[in-house]
Amino acid sequence: MDDYQQLAERTAGNKTEHTRLTNFGMGLAGEAGETIDYLKKVVFHGHQLDKDKLQKELGDCLWYIATLATTAGLSLSDVAAANIEKLRARYPEGFDPARSINRIRDEDC
């Protein structure tokens, strides 16, 4: 993941931190929206799932996540590890709908 993050940075451009956060945050929202719109067509409009198209959309999202992490001084491997630890704490035995419904709201989880 960290190699990907370094390679993604090659195409991020030289911008100020404020500009990077704004540009890449908005870009992530846009790409996530494109991904959701595509999945909507698959689920509700009868389109066949095109894994190549989905992969490209997810890759665009990943690029923005990587560049945002770089801007914040975070490594993707650390982001991923922290997320897994959060999920382990929340669902120690794996996902459980009851734990999801009844979980205590915590900013860190």
Side-chain angles (χ1 to χ4, degrees), residues 5 20-26 28 63-74:
Q5 185 175 0
R20 286 174 63 100
L21 291 171
T22 304
N23 183 14
F24 302 152
M26 289 179 176
L28 176 58
W63 186 91
Y64 281 109
I65 291 169
T67 55
L68 280 168
T70 298
T71 302
L74 301 167

Side-chain angles (χ1 to χ4, degrees), residues 19-63:
T19 301
R20 286 174 63 100
L21 291 171
T22 304
N23 183 14
F24 302 152
M26 289 179 176
L28 176 58
E31 292 299 337
E34 287 183 27
T35 303
I36 293 299
D37 189 58
Y38 174 66
L39 292 174
K40 175 195 72 175
K41 290 174 182 175
V42 171
V43 173
F44 296 108
H45 298 179
H47 293 225
Q48 288 293 103
L49 178 64
D50 179 340
K51 289 183 182 181
D52 290 333
K53 178 164 179 51
L54 181 58
Q55 180 173 308
K56 288 175 184 172
E57 295 296 347
L58 292 173
D60 291 342
C61 291
L62 182 59
W63 186 91

